[in-house]
Amino acid sequence: MIRFFCLAVAVFFSGSVVAQQVKVPSRMEFAGIKLRIMDDAREEIQKDVDALTASPKYFEIKAERARTYFPIIERIFKEEKLPDDFKYLCLQESALIADAVSTSNAVGFWQFKDFSAVEVGMRVDKVVDERMNIVSASRGAARYLHNNNQHFDNWLHALQAYQMGAGGAMKALPPGQEGAKSMTVSKKTYWYVKKYLAHKIAFENSVSQPGQIQVSEYYNVGGKSLKEVANETGVTEEELADYNKWLKKGKIPTDKKYAVIIPKGNLNLDIVASSETPKEEVKEKKQIEYTFDEPGVFPKIDDEVEARAGKIVDINGLPGIIAGRSDRIPALAQKADIPLRKFLKYNDLGIDGILIPGQVYYMKSKRGKAKAYYHVAQPGETLWSISQKFGIKLKKLKTKNRIREDINIKAGRVLWLRYIRPASVAIEYKESEIIQPIVEKKEPEVIEQPVDKKAEIDEVPIETEAESDSSAAEVIEELPAKEEEEEVQQDDSTVNIAGEVIEEIDEEMEDVAVDANLIKKMHEVKLGETYYAISKIHDVAVLDLLDWNDLKISDKLSIGQKLVVYTTEEAQGPIVKTVEKQSENSYHTVKPGETLYQIARLYNVSVQEIMKWNEKEDFNIKEGERLKIEE
């Protein structure tokens, strides 16, 4: 009751301050640049300031959110050497709502699209969306703004480029203002810049004091659930989930350092402080580089690595540990510091398996496809040894080659590593690519994994949707495996020998982007085209475009480069989805996962207006709720 009273008093007094109209000055400073604001621009900015401060109640809600999150943003911007003034941009972009989503599918505090977020180092997938993590997203925003400023050496222009992209800003902005220390803001100044100045003017005198709710970062979280973190820190799981919407499901991954946001209160601050700089054991690593420049290139582990038993290495982009002559599976799993069950699963082993000296064993799940497209089997190789060397799951390797059981692979056989071999393509052998081993001295005995000695007639046809349609593409490319999901969910691929209905090949296929209804096309890159521009031309996702072509967002495009694109029909250009505002006093039914911010963007109204029309006291909405939308 006391806390509620204090908050009410704060709202009252803040409101009385805001009620005295905030005036737009004729001169102000932004990021070290002195700005002269012309009368025509002042009039426009004043209208925005008046709109932002019109409701003391809603103004205070935003200001309170800024008081909560600004300390974190300020610290990160200081570390990234970004001007502190940019913190007000977050109010403009999302009103500091973690799960805000725009009509163009920009998400989170700083309104990043998925490919832009990936480009500045954020993780965006089914498990984690760092766009909704104030720490990760703010650091990403700082890097994005720095990247823009490399083109302009002018923070005001970098601000404009945040909304329209560096390429668009370079076309729109006049040259000769690099490094400017004073500038003029007029009616011709880009609207986004003036909107930002309105937010800075409206809020800068109301967010300096500490917030009613303060938050801290907690880093000792890898491999833990929010429930476990809640128990450690003394807050409720529900409260923790509300501040950490970036974790979509499961436990917090261990692939990088994540910050869980903890609201202070009954929190043991000693626990939080101790997690700021976790002391992690540094394990010796040696990078093993495999080359995949041509189909059939066989990766080799050199003698130096084979001699380093028990050492941790990177192989195929995954961590692994090298087995020694005296190692046994339980002991090696313990050395790798992972549970025995996971060690066996990651390496397709049974508990009674025998380790091969010098062989690398994975400490994380292998992938559903390899980086190479094909491999020619060499003398003495088994399906298991090939799956280990290329970092592909044994079951996936067999599926791609239509093999039902472990069989003795004949030297020279071409194995498919990235796609499923079509039923119409016969098994191929390349005797000319067999490399006979050179024996210079007696080699240590190599113990192969036990196999069922079946003839090659054990191969069976595997139907896919693409192959049942004669007009479909020849092959189906799988999406990359999600390692965290695979740790929990077993691979349940099944094959029906009698030709009955086949279940899904694996859990990743539920998200497969290439199916029988899609048409494979080639796109030739033209001057000035970007991944984003190409995705809009064909109405596909940027991340799908990258996956189909085995590219990273950082890879540069070249004129004339051919890209594979799968579409439902010939796209004529960007497809823009629009929502017309409905008639007076229409209603919107809340769909699963929708937020007030999304709905406001949908109808081109403000969150405050929706709250006013529906007499709402907070931002909470429920699935199926009917919201009034006035004309």
Side-chain angles (χ1 to χ4, degrees):
M1 177 64 83
I2 294 175
R3 183 175 178 179
F4 174 79
F5 174 75
C6 292
L7 184 58
V9 171
V11 171
F12 174 79
F13 282 106
S14 297
S16 61
V17 172
V18 174
Q20 301 171 7
Q21 189 183 44
V22 178
K23 294 291 186 181
V24 177
S26 59
R27 295 180 184 274
M28 63 182 294
E29 188 170 310
F30 162 72
I33 304 173
K34 298 184 187 309
L35 301 179
R36 180 187 177 192
I37 306 177
M38 307 302 290
D39 289 344
D40 52 2
R42 283 179 64 197
E43 184 177 344
E44 289 183 45
I45 296 170
Q46 187 67 61
K47 288 180 181 178
D48 285 333
V49 171
D50 293 345
L52 289 168
T53 58
S55 168
K57 175 181 176 181
Y58 298 125
F59 177 87
E60 178 59 22
I61 289 172
K62 278 189 181 179
E64 179 59 27
R65 239 183 264 130
R67 296 180 200 119
T68 296
Y69 286 116
F70 271 9
I72 290 178
I73 297 174
E74 289 165 358
R75 178 184 60 76
I76 290 171
F77 282 6
K78 185 177 180 180
E79 291 173 0
E80 297 289 337
K81 296 181 173 53
L82 186 78
D84 184 74
D85 280 338
F86 277 107
K87 65 189 178 187
Y88 298 103
L89 184 59
C90 198
L91 280 167
Q92 177 180 347
E93 285 291 319
S94 69
L96 282 162
I97 297 172
D99 55 353
V101 181
S102 75
T103 54
S104 60
N105 286 325
V107 172
F109 287 104
W110 291 91
Q111 291 291 280
F112 275 95
K113 292 188 177 179
D114 51 8
F115 59 91
S116 297
V118 171
E119 193 172 23
V120 292
M122 281 185 265
R123 175 173 170 176
V124 180
D125 54 38
K126 287 183 177 179
V127 178
V128 166
D129 190 340
E130 288 191 281
R131 295 175 292 179
M132 293 186 264
N133 183 308
I134 188 65
V135 175
S136 303
S138 296
R139 202 172 295 281
R143 291 169 182 170
Y144 189 86
L145 287 162
H146 268 300
N147 291 342
N148 285 343
N149 202 42
Q150 289 179 1
H151 300 286
F152 306 106
D153 190 23
N154 183 311
W155 287 119
L156 201 68
H157 290 176
L159 171 65
Q160 181 168 336
Y162 192 88
Q163 194 274 336
M164 65 189 313
M170 281 189 280
K171 292 178 182 178
L173 290 165
Q177 295 184 332
E178 297 81 3
K181 296 301 180 183
S182 61
M183 299 180 70
T184 299
V185 178
S186 68
K187 189 172 184 177
K188 293 182 180 180
T189 301
Y190 192 54
W191 66 268
Y192 185 79
V193 172
K194 289 182 282 190
K195 184 80 72 175
Y196 162 81
L197 294 175
H199 279 79
K200 182 178 188 298
I201 293 167
F203 286 96
E204 64 183 342
N205 292 324
S206 301
V207 297
S208 56
Q209 64 268 41
Q212 295 287 324
I213 299 175
Q214 298 178 48
V215 293
S216 292
E217 303 152 59
Y218 187 51
Y219 288 95
N220 185 25
V221 295
K224 299 176 184 176
S225 66
L226 286 184
K227 183 176 181 179
E228 291 172 306
V229 177
N231 291 336
E232 287 180 7
T233 56
V235 298
T236 66
E237 185 180 357
E238 292 74 17
E239 198 172 13
L240 202 59
D242 193 46
Y243 283 89
N244 294 278
K245 295 178 179 178
W246 57 272
L247 182 63
K248 294 184 174 183
K249 62 181 177 180
K251 295 186 176 183
I252 298 161
T254 57
D255 61 309
K256 61 192 293 188
K257 187 177 175 182
Y258 293 97
V260 168
I261 302 302
I262 313 282
K264 294 180 182 178
N266 298 324
L267 178 61
N268 183 343
L269 297 181
D270 292 334
I271 294 177
V272 176
S274 68
S275 78
E276 296 292 337
T277 53
K279 304 289 184 181
E280 296 180 355
E281 181 183 356
V282 179
K283 298 180 179 178
E284 181 184 358
K285 290 190 176 183
K286 178 178 176 65
Q287 181 72 27
I288 300 176
E289 294 186 357
Y290 284 358
T291 57
F292 300 101
D293 298 328
E294 302 175 15
V297 170
F298 185 73
K300 295 181 179 179
I301 304 174
D302 59 31
D303 292 336
E304 178 189 357
V305 174
E306 289 181 4
R308 301 174 70 224
K311 300 298 183 182
I312 306 299
V313 296
D314 288 334
I315 183 168
N316 293 312
L318 298 169
I321 186 168
I322 301 173
R325 292 186 181 278
S326 60
D327 281 328
R328 296 294 179 266
I329 289 177
L332 193 61
Q334 189 173 13
K335 286 181 184 178
D337 196 26
I338 59 174
L340 176 60
R341 176 182 59 83
K342 289 186 177 181
F343 185 89
L344 295 173
K345 179 187 172 186
Y346 295 162
N347 293 281
D348 298 305
L349 293 171
I351 189 63
D352 57 347
I354 300 174
L355 297 177
I356 300 174
Q359 172 68 54
V360 177
Y361 290 86
Y362 291 94
M363 299 162 61
K364 279 194 173 182
S365 178
K366 291 183 287 186
R367 298 190 172 91
K369 61 181 178 180
K371 293 182 180 179
Y373 287 81
Y374 311 99
H375 170 65
V376 177
Q378 300 298 307
E381 287 189 327
T382 64
L383 286 171
W384 179 85
S385 68
I386 293 169
S387 77
Q388 289 292 103
K389 289 184 177 181
F390 284 92
I392 179 175
K393 294 178 180 179
L394 178 59
K395 187 174 287 187
K396 301 302 172 83
L397 177 62
K398 290 191 287 187
T399 297
K400 288 178 181 2
N401 291 277
R402 302 177 174 277
I403 298 173
R404 184 184 63 185
E405 303 286 351
D406 280 337
I407 60 173
N408 288 329
I409 296 296
K410 293 181 180 178
R413 175 167 175 174
V414 177
L415 293 172
W416 291 54
L417 303 177
R418 197 168 178 84
Y419 300 94
I420 298 173
R421 177 173 58 82
S424 58
V425 176
I427 298 172
E428 182 182 6
Y429 288 89
K430 292 187 176 180
E431 302 289 340
S432 60
E433 293 188 23
I434 297 176
I435 303 173
Q436 296 297 337
I438 301 174
V439 180
E440 297 178 348
K441 57 183 178 180
K442 186 177 180 180
E443 297 287 337
E445 182 183 0
V446 177
I447 306 173
E448 296 182 351
Q449 293 298 111
V451 298
D452 284 339
K453 296 185 177 180
K454 301 266 186 186
E456 301 228 359
I457 58 171
D458 281 338
E459 300 188 7
V460 294
I462 299 177
E463 293 183 2
T464 63
E465 289 183 7
E467 292 159 4
S468 63
D469 184 347
S470 58
S471 65
E474 286 188 1
V475 292
I476 299 179
E477 180 172 0
E478 298 172 295
L479 291 178
K482 299 288 186 287
E483 293 171 4
E484 288 75 23
E485 294 175 36
E486 291 170 350
E487 291 181 8
V488 179
Q489 181 178 358
Q490 296 290 332
D491 189 336
D492 294 325
S493 62
T494 61
V495 179
N496 190 311
I497 308 300
E500 297 173 0
V501 178
I502 307 299
E503 295 181 14
E504 287 185 319
I505 292 173
D506 56 24
E507 65 272 14
E508 290 100 337
M509 291 297 286
E510 64 186 4
D511 297 317
V512 72
V514 184
D515 60 32
N517 297 318
L518 296 182
I519 302 169
K520 180 180 178 182
K521 298 193 302 181
M522 301 302 295
H523 177 94
E524 185 173 329
V525 178
K526 299 177 179 59
L527 177 65
E529 283 187 334
T530 63
Y531 290 121
Y532 181 68
I534 297 168
S535 75
K536 287 301 179 186
I537 291 172
H538 299 285
D539 190 31
V540 297
V542 172
L543 296 183
D544 283 342
L545 183 66
L546 294 171
D547 187 68
W548 293 333
N549 293 278
D550 196 23
L551 294 169
K552 299 189 294 291
I553 193 73
S554 57
D555 291 340
K556 303 296 184 184
L557 290 172
S558 56
I559 299 173
Q561 182 178 349
K562 298 284 198 313
L563 298 178
V564 174
V565 179
Y566 290 94
T567 62
T568 53
E569 57 185 1
E570 293 291 332
Q572 299 301 320
I575 296 176
V576 181
K577 297 180 180 179
T578 59
V579 176
E580 296 183 4
K581 196 172 179 181
Q582 299 184 20
S583 59
E584 185 175 358
N585 293 344
S586 60
Y587 288 85
H588 175 89
T589 302
V590 178
K591 300 177 179 62
E594 277 190 325
T595 65
L596 274 180
Y597 190 80
Q598 286 177 273
I599 298 169
R601 286 291 185 95
L602 195 64
Y603 294 97
N604 195 27
V605 297
S606 69
V607 172
Q608 289 85 352
E609 285 175 320
I610 295 179
M611 294 178 72
K612 179 181 176 182
W613 296 331
N614 293 274
E615 299 181 351
K616 297 186 73 66
E617 296 294 328
D618 53 39
F619 297 98
N620 294 327
I621 54 176
K622 297 179 181 178
E623 180 182 344
E625 182 179 352
R626 294 183 76 232
L627 297 176
K628 183 165 68 173
I629 309 292
E630 294 186 4
E631 184 66 40

